[in-house]
Amino acid sequence: DFPYALAPAGAAVLAFAAVLTVLDGGILATAERVPVRAAWRGLFLRSFAPVAVHGLAGLMMAVLWRSPYGPLAALLVLLPMGVSCWVFAQYHRERAAHQATIRALVQAVDIKDRYTRGHSERVGRASVMIARELGMADERVESLRFAGILHDVGKLGVPTRLLRKDGPLTPQERRVIELHPEYGHEMVRGIGFLGEARAAILHHHERIDGSGYPYGLVGRQIPEFARVVAVADAFDAMTSTRSYRRGRPVEAALAELSRCAGAQFDPDMVAALQRALERHGWHPAVTSDTAGVPVPRQGASGVPTGPGAGAR
């Protein structure tokens, strides 16, 4: 009887939310190898809210069912629940549309720049690994994944002949390519769901020491998402085998990132990537068709020395 049913109903909600939290956190920690300190962070509140809402609706139905108004009154509770289900379905349809938009943009970049086919997805994956290691909330992790995937979307505004040039770029050609972050930002500035990802697209070529582009930001002036994507981008670029050079081993790429930490890269992001790779490993793939294309020699440092070494 109401209100005496509130206490057992509240206890049931708390118990159910606690069980969900333990199970979800356990899956994240074991299956996805999310750090233990971050696996359960915020999970209870995210589980509690929907369970509490549905529990309250169920309790209202039970109370109204036993009231003088009978089952007809209880059925009225189904109306707001139906609206809630409709809103939830709309959210998932909108999310699917977002994913389709991103896939279309990435495919367009991959078609235009054959040298970096698959690079965008791997940068997104490496960015997520860093974000998980830093303990970012799930919403920010998803936004950061978008940032990694779309970081080079501005290349759609760069002449194809420059992206596919086999030899070194001239200073003028390099200045044209260095406009791609601004092109990308202009392309996505109206896509509201990207959130912080837009700043990463604009600033992922900034350097901690202020010598980057397009605005020469220094240190913490560079948005956090941009500092993450910069490390993920450089790591995949070094470890990927492309038609104009072989990829470096993961250990050599990490050593190079560590050497440049504090000048080009944020040391915290580099350290987070190192920890994540120790847990998950990395499996780079060939990103372009190398059939019939000679792979340039590499010097002792692993830097390509053959034709096209400085093209990108």
Side-chain angles (χ1 to χ4, degrees):
D1 292 337
F2 191 82
Y4 305 106
L6 284 174
V13 167
L14 290 173
F16 193 72
V19 170
L20 283 179
T21 299
V22 171
L23 293 176
D24 287 346
I27 290 172
L28 289 174
T30 56
E32 298 190 17
R33 297 183 179 180
V34 174
V36 174
R37 60 185 173 82
W40 282 276
R41 184 178 301 166
L43 278 181
F44 181 79
L45 291 178
R46 289 197 293 275
S47 300
F48 177 78
V51 171
V53 170
H54 286 88
L56 179 61
L59 181 60
M60 288 173 59
M61 287 189 67
V63 170
L64 290 173
W65 192 280
R66 301 190 60 181
S67 72
Y69 302 102
L72 181 61
L75 291 177
L76 294 177
V77 180
L78 295 176
L79 179 60
M81 292 187 68
V83 173
S84 175
C85 290
W86 178 82
V87 171
F88 191 67
Q90 289 294 107
Y91 164 77
H92 278 282
R93 277 194 286 270
E94 183 179 0
R95 184 181 175 84
H98 295 169
Q99 299 285 357
T101 299
I102 290 173
R103 281 197 302 272
L105 289 171
V106 171
Q107 287 172 357
V109 175
D110 284 349
I111 290 171
K112 184 165 187 175
D113 186 4
R114 66 173 183 265
Y115 287 131
T116 58
R117 190 166 300 134
H119 170 67
S120 299
E121 288 84 355
R122 287 194 303 276
V123 172
R125 180 158 57 93
S127 297
V128 167
M129 292 171 67
I130 296 173
R132 294 287 189 194
E133 199 63 38
L134 295 173
M136 289 187 185
D138 288 345
E139 295 79 9
R140 296 191 76 213
V141 171
E142 182 71 358
S143 183
L144 186 51
R145 186 175 73 86
F146 291 156
I149 290 174
L150 293 175
H151 73 285
D152 272 344
V153 69
K155 286 184 175 180
L156 292 174
V158 176
T160 304
R161 63 178 179 81
L162 297 184
L163 296 176
R164 298 187 177 186
K165 184 177 179 180
D166 290 329
L169 298 172
T170 66
Q172 183 178 4
E173 290 171 337
R174 187 167 294 280
R175 282 194 295 271
V176 172
I177 285 188
E178 288 178 356
L179 291 173
H180 80 269
E182 295 176 275
Y183 292 155
H185 184 257
E186 285 298 314
M187 291 174 63
V188 303
R189 67 185 306 174
I191 305 179
F193 71 85
L194 289 178
E196 291 182 80
R198 289 171 291 187
I201 292 170
L202 178 60
H203 296 294
H204 69 279
H205 279 297
E206 304 282 4
R207 294 169 56 112
I208 297 298
D209 61 8
S211 63
Y213 62 89
Y215 300 131
L217 301 184
V218 179
R220 298 288 172 171
Q221 292 178 346
I222 305 171
E224 183 181 28
F225 275 24
R227 285 180 272 131
V228 171
V229 172
V231 171
D233 183 22
F235 174 75
D236 183 69
M238 285 189 285
T239 56
S240 297
T241 295
R242 300 177 181 176
S243 62
Y244 54 88
R245 62 156 173 79
R246 288 192 180 93
R248 300 189 194 185
V250 169
E251 295 76 12
L254 288 176
E256 182 66 14
L257 289 174
S258 297
R259 186 183 69 82
C260 297
Q264 181 174 355
F265 306 113
D266 186 329
D268 293 338
M269 308 309 175
V270 174
L273 178 61
Q274 289 175 326
R275 293 193 303 269
L277 290 173
E278 288 174 0
R279 250 190 287 270
H280 301 283
W282 186 256
H283 305 287
V286 174
T287 56
S288 63
D289 184 7
T290 59
V293 179
V295 177
R297 301 187 319 276
Q298 294 183 332
S301 63
V303 179
T305 58
R312 272 152 291 276

